Amino acid sequence: MRNPPVTVPTPPMVAVAHGSRDPRAAATVAELLDAVRARRPDVPVHASFLDHAPPAPDRVLDALASQGADRAVVLPLLLTAAYHSKTDIPGALAQVRRRHPRLALHTAATLGPHPLLTAALERRLAEAGVAPGDPGTAVVLVSAGSSDPAANATIGAMARRWRSRGWRGVVPAYASAARPAPAEALAALLDAGAPRVAVASYFLAPGHFADKVRRETLAAGAQAVSPVLGAAPEIAELVLRRYDEACVPARARAAG
């Protein structure tokens, strides 16, 4: 007689965003998580922020533990693995584990890199009037930039892969902490003979960097600057993929 399948309760997702003083950022995160809930109503989804906006991730996890939760998936809403995912989040979770040793915490991978992010970037460029893979258009892929060289190298690798989709060229640029700056990268492409240069905004939510990049690159001659990724369908899908990946080890243990 076959054993009945093991049913594992769906763990809550605690999404961890960077946070910003700009209220548009929290509103964008809320819109994205609403899209996630619409796709998977069975998953309890909670927002949290590392800085500038409440609630902090440890407070959300404290509340879940007090309500009887025995596990949770902590999901960084971060586009690259850098200081926040390598230091800030693990530090916060270590404190939660000390306070709630019976609460099993599963940390998902950062959103990037992943092909769905490239699809979302092309969606946003199309919304700005740039045909995907236009051979007459070069693209500046702009991220926030990091003091972590590995994070910046991830953006460079992403730009190299993206070139194969038909663009005249794709180069990385960084809004802070690394070079080239977006306007510098744009000027180099124009000097090299690119008929048109578009700027792909590799930011999850609006704020200081996204506004600065838009202003400076349009002044430097960009044909178009894409909106932030926000609640693009590809981003909502990627959030759920990262959640499911983090859930796999727990399900395997329960089944075994």
Side-chain angles (χ1 to χ4, degrees):
M1 182 175 181
R2 296 178 62 183
N3 292 326
V6 175
T7 301
V8 180
T10 303
M13 175 197 303
V14 178
V16 184
H18 182 279
S20 171
R21 293 186 179 91
D22 189 324
R24 295 175 299 167
T28 300
V29 170
E31 183 183 3
L32 170 60
L33 296 183
D34 281 345
V36 170
R37 294 184 187 99
R39 283 166 170 73
R40 289 281 293 278
D42 60 308
V43 178
V45 178
H46 305 269
S48 68
F49 302 90
L50 289 169
D51 205 359
H52 303 307
D58 60 325
R59 297 305 179 194
V60 176
L61 291 164
D62 285 344
L64 289 172
S66 70
Q67 295 162 11
D70 61 359
R71 63 192 181 111
V73 172
V74 178
L75 196 147
L77 293 179
L78 304 171
L79 297 177
T80 54
Y83 186 84
H84 291 307
S85 62
K86 296 177 181 179
T87 302
D88 286 344
I89 292 177
L93 299 190
Q95 296 179 29
V96 172
R97 288 187 173 100
R98 285 194 291 269
R99 293 196 295 267
H100 309 287
R102 296 186 178 181
L103 178 63
L105 299 177
H106 311 285
T107 305
T110 56
L111 298 181
H114 195 280
L116 281 170
L117 287 167
T118 303
L121 286 165
E122 291 197 343
R123 172 187 293 274
R124 293 306 192 216
L125 281 171
E127 292 170 356
V130 181
D134 176 14
T137 300
V139 177
V140 180
L141 173 63
V142 183
S143 75
S146 173
S147 58
D148 185 336
N152 297 330
T154 297
I155 304 304
M158 184 175 176
R160 289 191 295 274
R161 288 192 298 270
W162 201 9
R163 288 176 197 149
S164 66
R165 293 177 65 84
W167 303 103
R168 181 183 178 95
V170 181
V171 299
Y174 309 94
S176 69
R179 302 291 289 273
E184 293 172 340
L186 187 147
L189 288 169
L190 290 173
D191 289 345
R196 295 175 296 280
V197 180
V199 174
S201 299
Y202 192 61
F203 304 107
L204 186 67
H208 169 73
F209 282 149
D211 289 348
K212 181 173 183 287
V213 167
R214 171 174 290 276
R215 182 173 62 250
E216 292 182 356
T217 55
L218 286 174
Q223 177 202 18
V225 180
S226 67
V228 300
L229 297 171
E234 296 84 357
I235 305 302
E237 176 62 26
L238 181 53
V239 168
L240 286 167
R241 290 197 189 187
R242 294 305 194 207
Y243 170 84
D244 287 337
E245 290 165 1
C247 287
V248 166
R251 289 172 180 156
R253 284 195 295 272

